[in-house]
Structure formats: structure tokens, C-alpha cells
Amino acid sequence: NRATGLMELEQKDGGPSYVQYLPVPANFGSVPHTLIAGTGNLKAIVLGPALPRGSVVKGRLIGSLNVADDAGARMQAIFVADNTPFADVKSLADLDARFPGVPAILQTWAANADGKAKSSIAFKGRAQSIPLVGGAILAYEEAMVTEADKRPLDANGNPQLYRWPGAKNVGE
């Protein structure tokens, strides 16, 4: 929800929006604190076992699936969840090498799940997807974060971090 920044169950025709299609080795959701013009939060595909609705998981971005149809173009970021069989996957090529057919399953699912004709479906690699995710985070911050929400800056102009005792920072 743009006004509150909270995640809400998507509504369609006055009720919850559900897609009923073939099983897929992924979870579908959105990346919190992101904003894509016209669509809300950045959509996410998280590879791994089924998760309860509303779960927040830690994972690695390996690429994106870009779909275009009559409604326009949209990107779905593809993540591999930590502590799953997919956790060591580093890229889309690595995914296809370790789990043959999974990218094809995702592409088939994207092409047919909602019953609408697609004009194009394409994968983008991690390097091409990172700026898109970063842009969605920046768009959210520009739209939702006020000056009062921002962290104070240190002498070098970097945001001060709130330390967690178990955190390990590279270079310190």
C-alpha cells in the first residue's frame, strides 16, 4: 500500500487475487520497500520450498524475468532463498546447470498462468537486474521516506549504521 508502506493481499473483482495454474518450484511475492511506477512493489520470484503467505525471506538476486503483454512491461526479480537447495546458485546459467529445466518452467509459468497473451518474455542476468532493483528501492525512498526517517550521516557523508552485536562488516 503506497499510503502506509504495508504489504497487503492483492485484490481482484472485490476479493483476494489467486492464480490457479501448474505447480512451480518458487514462491511469488514482492520486495518490501520498493516501488515500480504503475504496479506498486517490485514483484519477486523466490526459488525454494513453499512458504507461508506473508513470509519474509533472505536470499540472493540471480536475475529477472521480464514479461510484456497488452497491460505493459513488468519485471519480476528472481531470488534464491538461503538455506534451500537453491542457496548456492549464483546466476541464471548456474541455475540451469544445477537444476536443468527450472528456467524453462518459470518461463512457461509466466507465459500461461494468467491466461493473457504475452508479446515477449525474456530473462536478464544478475548484472542487468541489480540496477533495476536498486532503482525500485530508490523510487520507494523518494516517494515514502521523509527527512525525519533518514539516518544521520557520519563525517564522510555515509549513513550511520545501527550496530547489531552479531554483525560482521567487511573491512572493519
Side-chain angles (χ1 to χ4, degrees), residues 141-163:
E141 289 179 355
E142 289 174 346
M144 304 296 287
V145 177
T146 67
E147 287 300 317
D149 297 325
K150 294 181 181 174
R151 295 179 180 178
L153 302 180
D154 66 15
N156 296 324
N158 298 312
Q160 291 180 356
L161 300 177
Y162 300 105
R163 294 288 191 200

Side-chain angles (χ1 to χ4, degrees), residues 4-172:
T4 65
L6 299 175
M7 290 192 290
E8 295 178 348
L9 182 60
E10 194 171 316
Q11 301 290 310
K12 184 176 182 181
D13 299 327
S17 175
Y18 296 104
V19 174
Q20 295 184 7
Y21 190 59
L22 300 172
V24 66
N27 298 278
F28 292 85
S30 61
V31 180
H33 302 286
T34 58
L35 188 60
I36 301 290
T39 64
N41 289 49
L42 173 64
K43 304 300 183 229
I45 299 170
V46 181
L47 298 172
L51 297 166
R53 180 171 291 142
S55 296
V56 177
V57 297
K58 186 176 178 183
R60 175 186 309 108
L61 178 70
I62 62 166
S64 61
L65 182 61
N66 299 278
V67 180
D69 57 23
D70 292 341
R74 61 193 174 282
M75 178 186 105
Q76 296 175 332
I78 303 172
F79 294 90
V80 292
D82 287 358
N83 302 316
T84 70
F86 295 100
D88 292 331
V89 172
K90 305 283 191 241
S91 67
L92 291 170
D94 192 20
L95 175 66
D96 201 30
R98 292 179 186 218
F99 300 92
V102 170
I105 292 169
L106 294 175
Q107 193 168 18
T108 299
W109 212 91
N112 300 292
D114 63 2
K116 296 178 184 174
K118 307 297 183 287
S119 56
S120 72
I121 298 173
F123 286 103
K124 287 190 177 179
R126 176 180 165 84
Q128 293 173 298
S129 301
I130 288 174
L132 299 172
V133 173
I137 293 168
L138 183 60
Y140 174 86
E141 289 179 355
E142 289 174 346
M144 304 296 287
V145 177
T146 67
E147 287 300 317
D149 297 325
K150 294 181 181 174
R151 295 179 180 178
L153 302 180
D154 66 15
N156 296 324
N158 298 312
Q160 291 180 356
L161 300 177
Y162 300 105
R163 294 288 191 200
W164 173 63
K168 294 179 182 176
N169 294 307
V170 177
E172 287 188 0

